[in-house]
């Protein structure tokens, strides 16, 4: 599979952009475990053109992340075009447009999946962004606004016609949010439409190596994007790649392995964001690395209340010593609620 001239190999795996989750430290961890492509948290076009520090901070990418995309969202053409130009200056490998976020504060303003209710505006916005930047432009979207308006087939063709280089489709409507089962049948129909020439990436409910292989084979998608299943489990990319290559399921990492992973993640987060913010934003990940351990409440409390990196490392060492022999088996963290 290729995005423009970016060669990704066969059956690439993508990390889905997730607000407050896919920051540089988490992207680093997912990349280390085999994610072929990563994307930033989504960035507000309004925030970028106002030079808001929080939006600008999300533009940070490292060479080790490549290929990496910057994702932007907004509901007005001119700010989105200007935001795309600003994002291009950060030198990503591609720019991704978010037409899929279902959250009320985004979609209710006409951005994200709200754009699916105004296809001409969506298409014109995309056309102008493609023309404004030299980097490849991709899009992430959903099946439609609701069950009665699944218009992704029309959207896919029209976005292809204005020059996008790849399309990611989440197999739910906006009305579904994250409820119910993702419907990949329509994703498969679009991928197998002879008029479609761009890569189609499927997204939604991929939480195991067996499901990834099954969906690659059944629906013929070029790539698969994984979101909520990575939460507390960045090694899922390694699991899936190994299974695709060998047909063998890897065991879940031991407690000691998870401690080592958590320490690496902590160090990267501190490096990127400093002690206080780095620790605050890592807490959601730390406890999920150890979800399923018995009698963990008090230790979990230490992990989510300490601001001292040395104390956190000492707590992690205690976890390795206290639960080192515990069999994690197939323990998988509960899914995240807001994959974008």
């Amino acid at each position: 599979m290729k995005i423009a001239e970016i060669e990704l190999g066969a059956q690439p795996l993508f990390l889905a952009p997730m607000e407050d989750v896919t920051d540089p430290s988490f992207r680093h961890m997912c990349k280390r475990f085999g994610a072929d492509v990563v994307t930033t948290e989504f960035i507000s076009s309004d925030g970028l053109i106002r030079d808001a520090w929080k939006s600008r901070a999300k533009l940070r990418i490292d060479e080790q992340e490549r290929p990496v995309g910057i994702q932007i969202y907004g509901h007005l053409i001119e700010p989105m075009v200007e935001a795309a130009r600003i994002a291009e200056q950060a030198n990503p490998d591609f720019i991704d447009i978010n037409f899929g976020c279902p959250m009320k504060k985004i979609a209710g303003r006409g951005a994200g999946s709200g754009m699916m209710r105004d296809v001409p505006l969506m298409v014109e916005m995309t056309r102008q962004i493609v023309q404004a930047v030299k980097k490849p432009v991709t899009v992430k979207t959903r099946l439609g606004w609701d069950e009665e308006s699944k218009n992704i087939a029309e959207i896919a063709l029209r976005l292809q016609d204005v020059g996008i280089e790849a399309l990611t489709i989440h197999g739910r409507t906006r009305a579904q949010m994250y409820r119910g089962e993702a419907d990949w049948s329509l994703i498969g129909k679009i991928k197998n439409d002879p008029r479609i020439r761009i890569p189609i990436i499927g997204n939604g409910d991929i939480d195991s190596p067996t499901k990834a292989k099954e969906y690659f084979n059944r629906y013929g998608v070029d790539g698969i994007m994984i979101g909520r299943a990575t939460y507390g489990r960045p090694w899922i990319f390694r699991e899936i790649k190994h299974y695709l290559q060998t047909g063998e399921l890897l065991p879940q990492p031991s407690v000691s392995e998870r401690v080592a992973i958590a320490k690496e993640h902590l160090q990267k987060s501190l490096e990127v964001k400093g002690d206080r913010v780095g620790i605050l934003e890592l807490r959601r990940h730390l406890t999920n690395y150890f979800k399923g351990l018995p009698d963990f409440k008090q230790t979990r409390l230490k992990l989510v209340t300490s601001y001292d990196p040395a104390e956190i490392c000492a707590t992690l060492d205690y976890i390795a010593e206290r639960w080192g022999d515990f069999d994690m088996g197939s323990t998988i963290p509960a899914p995240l609620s807001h994959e974008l």
Side-chain angles (χ1 to χ4, degrees), residues 35 40 61 63 92 101 134 138 202-203 217 256 308:
T40 65
I61 55 177
E63 286 300 310
C101 178
K134 295 179 180 179
T138 63
N203 174 228
N217 293 340
S256 295
D308 181 356

Side-chain angles (χ1 to χ4, degrees), residues 21-30 32-33 230-235 258-273 278-279 281-287 289 316:
V21 177
T22 52
D23 68 355
S25 63
F26 189 64
R27 299 198 303 268
H28 165 82
M29 299 307 298
C30 290
R32 189 169 83 70
F33 282 106
T230 66
Y231 199 63
R233 191 186 172 196
W235 52 82
R258 291 170 192 242
V259 165
I261 292 166
K263 283 185 175 181
E264 180 179 345
H265 195 170
L266 170 63
Q267 185 58 44
K268 189 67 177 179
S269 189
L270 296 176
E271 173 190 320
V272 172
K273 297 185 175 180
I279 288 171
E281 297 195 0
L282 186 65
R283 286 174 176 173
R284 64 177 66 90
H285 295 285
L286 278 180
T287 56
Y289 280 137
L316 290 170

